[in-house]
Amino acid sequence: MTSLVRLLLRLALRVRVRGDLSPFASADRLLIVANHRTALDALLLAFFLPRDPAVIVPAGEVRGRLLGWLLSRMRHEVLDLNNPLSMKRVLRLLRAGRPVVLFPEGRTTRNGAVMKVYPVPALVALKSGAAVLPVHVRVAQGFWPSCELRVFAPTRIDGGAAGSARRRRAFATRRLTEVMQAMAVQAAPCKPLYEGFLDAVAAQGRGTVIMEDQVDQQHTYGEILRMSLAASRLLRRHTADREVVGVLLPNVVGAVAVVLGLSAARRVPAVFNYSAGPLAVEGARVAANVRTVVTSRRFVQNAHLQPLLDALPGCRLLFLEDLRAGFGPVDKLWLAGFAMRLPRLAISRQSTLDAAVVLFTSGSEDRPKGVALSHHAIVANVEQIRAVFDFSPADKVLNPLPLYHAYSFTAGVMLPLLTGTRVNLFLSPLRYRAIPEVAYKRDCTILFGTSTFLSFYARYANPMDFSRLRHVISGGEKLSPEVARVWMEKFGVRIMEGYGSTECAPVISLATPAAFRRGAVGSFLPGVEYRIEPVDGIDKGGVLHVRGPNVMLGYLRYQNPGAVEAPRSSVGEGWYDTGDVVEVDQDGMVFICGRVKRFAKIAGEMVSLDMIEHVAHEASPDFHHAAVLNVQDFGGETTVLFTTDERLTRGRLLDAAKALGTHDLSVARRLVYVRELPLLASGKIDYVTLRSLIEGDAIKRLLAAAMANASQG
């Protein structure tokens, strides 16, 4: 009877087992940990894995006569993994030499994110010394469903014997969680962006609303598919295969369709930062060797960008209005009769290691560089985020960040498109009063932003505006403790802070409800390797170097146009030097101490400019502050604090430093009042502009006034 059940399941679900099965023969004690999406998982694992394993079925899942009868055909135990007494039963099975299958999450999961991992499975792995074998179950829906059991390399959970019982339990649970998250990322299919988009269209349905923008027009998967295929056909006529094509468009659905269309045509979109000014955009164009730019006359007129276009000599400008007018009857017939019916045949094939997009660094400290990101890097980063954070089609993301920002491109656009999470795009993050209203009217549940933008949203929002939010994710700059406090007190929302860089597609670490600590940016995403190199003069932390599937193909520099400079650091080839000084605690939580460039050597001591800003926020929490380094004529270094608080004095700063327990060098030597700080469109402080003020004549007058103010303070 068992053989008959196995045969019927194999035929009905086309079951196949992939991976190295040798651990089933070599391991004396084998603990198999699996994801759990459907009630069929237990049956599939029991009937198709070698050595007839015993499957631990979560209590409460045995419902229905058919399921009960099928379970009776296999070796299983119904146990509550929240009950510590269950551990003894599982340990006895392992010590008897029988492989055991566990679902560490203790229930069927809602989406691709790893949910709560129970301590009992983790302690079983720790105490038994068993080899932990991750097995991923994937059931593909369709006319004829298919199932894949993918076996990954075994590991062990050890090294947690020291410390109290609570510490050992926490250690083992964290390690098993990391195993489950790594399995989720490794098991995810890696395809070029457009093919991943087509998979999402098939999974969610063409009639599913997925995206809307500021004009409040809702767009379904089918509409975006049609728009992107039409853009692909038109852009092929004016560009060459694998050409890097500039994109100068606002944060609207049409821009997303153009980016997807270029990808479908095997072109590489280079998304320009139109707010950076003509000089920066021309530098970006040269670095990426862009010869053609896609834009819109209406956008250029409304945003007053003609000076920017004038600064792009020799570039061919393609206006969307002209392209649409050239979409003739033959094109419409191709779209309706062929491309929409067989979209996978209408696109150009490419490798996941090909460049998918060129984004540009913010230029907050230096000339912007082009960053070439592969399809693999972006899709991997989406899966890394998805493995640790709960995104689902039931959510609606509000993304006011511009498309040229890596944070917005990957997390705010590609992640929703590939996972079926509805997203609302907003033209500009600077509409501080309008964005809370959009969140309220559109019932948004997830908000992306930077610390600076979130502070302004909180200032102008009604407490009910963000009442539907489940999560607020802050990135792009360090989250101000004051901003986190205001959001918790006014809206009851705990901000999750992420950390990353454009070069890493961009997320490196992310705080989650399961991995949160005040002041930390969560733990590293699964698949991210890291090394911390010490820095002379800095006792706490070191420079972070990372390697992983989400790291860039390389830089495109102004000095060497079109040539991709592969990542390399002092650690070796393929490693990226973040330039950030970080500290990682014993629980794997990441704390950002500052950037190497943001340290000053004063009186023989290394002083963090970020700490100077932190002291200022402590002394004056309702205002904004930015610290820069001033190299004086005689070669010494001093610190200048730009502040929007005209009553701030060094005396108040010294009191704040004392309250924080830091030394007096963390107080800026000079204070300069400004009405408001210059910001980049991404929300970061524009330190280049502030440093230019120091170098100009205007700062001399400001510093003279500041010195007088300091002497009074």
Side-chain angles (χ1 to χ4, degrees), residues 58-304:
E61 283 198 9
V62 184
R63 300 191 184 100
R65 292 183 180 180
L66 178 59
L67 181 59
W69 181 82
L70 289 172
L71 287 174
S72 69
R73 303 294 99 190
M74 66 186 219
R75 181 67 181 269
H76 75 282
E77 299 279 349
V78 180
L79 296 176
D80 181 4
L81 293 182
N82 195 34
N83 186 348
L85 296 178
S86 301
M87 182 167 56
K88 294 182 179 180
R89 179 61 182 157
V90 179
L91 286 172
R92 280 198 296 268
L93 289 170
L94 286 170
R95 288 165 182 164
R98 178 176 291 276
V100 174
V101 175
L102 277 173
F103 300 112
E105 295 165 274
R107 52 159 290 181
T108 54
T109 57
R110 292 190 299 267
N111 49 59
V114 175
M115 300 175 67
K116 178 176 74 174
V117 170
Y118 280 92
V120 167
L123 288 173
V124 166
L126 181 65
K127 293 186 176 183
S128 67
V132 178
L133 188 68
V135 177
H136 188 272
V137 184
R138 181 172 179 267
V139 178
Q141 302 297 328
F143 177 75
W144 189 358
S146 63
C147 174
E148 177 185 271
L149 305 182
R150 187 172 175 187
V151 181
F152 291 92
T155 186
R156 293 186 184 273
I157 296 180
D158 50 24
S164 65
R166 177 178 295 180
R167 288 292 308 165
R168 292 195 299 272
R169 183 169 61 249
F171 168 83
T173 304
R174 178 167 62 86
R175 281 286 296 113
L176 186 56
T177 301
E178 291 171 353
V179 170
M180 298 296 292
Q181 291 173 343
M183 177 178 68
V185 172
Q186 294 169 12
C190 186
K191 299 181 179 180
L193 277 179
Y194 202 84
E195 291 187 36
F197 168 66
L198 292 179
D199 288 346
V201 173
Q204 304 299 329
R206 295 191 180 189
T208 301
V209 174
I210 184 63
M211 191 173 288
E212 54 189 301
D213 54 25
Q214 193 168 339
V215 298
D216 295 333
Q217 184 177 355
Q218 298 180 346
H219 296 268
T220 65
Y221 267 115
E223 290 169 339
I224 296 176
L225 175 65
R226 185 178 66 252
M227 293 165 62
S228 62
L229 289 172
S232 171
R233 182 169 176 85
L234 290 171
L235 291 169
R236 286 175 194 268
R237 298 173 182 168
H238 304 282
T239 57
D241 186 38
R242 302 184 188 277
E243 180 183 343
V244 179
V245 180
V247 176
L248 196 65
L249 292 169
N251 211 35
V252 294
V253 174
V256 176
V258 167
V259 169
L260 288 174
L262 287 168
S263 184
R266 201 161 56 192
R267 275 61 170 170
V268 183
V271 189
F272 287 145
N273 178 356
Y274 48 80
S275 68
L279 186 62
V281 172
E282 168 59 9
R285 183 200 69 80
V286 172
N289 197 25
V290 171
R291 303 186 302 273
T292 306
V293 175
V294 182
T295 186
S296 161
R297 283 196 178 88
R298 181 180 177 185
F299 173 56
V300 170
Q301 181 180 355
N302 291 344
H304 308 290

Side-chain angles (χ1 to χ4, degrees), residues 636-654:
E637 295 182 342
T638 189
T639 50
V640 178
L641 180 73
F642 289 87
T643 176
T644 59
D645 184 359
E646 59 183 333
R647 297 184 179 181
L648 184 63
T649 63
R650 289 198 79 242
R652 288 171 58 190
L653 292 173
L654 288 167

Side-chain angles (χ1 to χ4, degrees), residues 614-626:
H614 181 52
V615 170
H617 283 296
E618 179 72 16
S620 177
D622 296 328
F623 295 86
H624 296 92
H625 318 275

Side-chain angles (χ1 to χ4, degrees), residues 385-405:
I385 299 169
R386 190 183 184 188
V388 302
F389 214 95
D390 177 23
F391 291 93
S392 78
D395 284 305
K396 182 188 285 188
V397 172
L398 174 55
N399 176 26
L401 299 175
L403 187 63
Y404 56 73
H405 195 294

Side-chain angles (χ1 to χ4, degrees), residues 442-494:
R442 300 299 170 191
D443 291 328
C444 296
T445 61
I446 297 173
L447 172 65
F448 291 124
T450 66
S451 180
T452 302
F453 290 152
L454 292 175
S455 69
F456 284 114
Y457 303 156
R459 178 182 300 178
Y460 293 108
N462 182 285
M464 287 300 295
D465 287 339
F466 296 128
S467 60
R468 292 295 306 276
L469 287 181
R470 291 199 308 122
H471 300 298
V472 175
I473 302 176
S474 175
E477 61 177 338
K478 186 175 179 59
L479 176 64
S480 164
E482 179 63 17
V483 174
R485 182 191 66 79
V486 168
W487 271 81
M488 177 58 73
E489 291 183 358
K490 188 172 183 179
F491 309 111
V493 176
R494 184 171 64 178

Side-chain angles (χ1 to χ4, degrees), residues 37-52:
R37 298 295 297 272
T38 69
L40 287 175
D41 296 338
L43 300 172
L44 295 169
L45 292 164
F47 283 117
F48 292 99
L49 290 182
R51 287 182 59 184
D52 188 25

Side-chain angles (χ1 to χ4, degrees), residues 535-540 596 598-609 611-612 629 636-639 662-667 669:
V535 179
D536 292 339
I538 300 178
D539 299 328
K540 188 177 180 181
V596 173
R598 299 272 297 155
F599 278 83
K601 193 165 188 177
I602 300 175
E605 297 284 341
M606 296 295 284
V607 179
S608 169
L609 298 179
M611 178 56 71
I612 292 175
L629 181 65
E637 295 182 342
T638 189
T639 50
T662 187
H663 51 67
D664 292 351
L665 292 177
S666 295
V667 173
R669 294 293 300 165

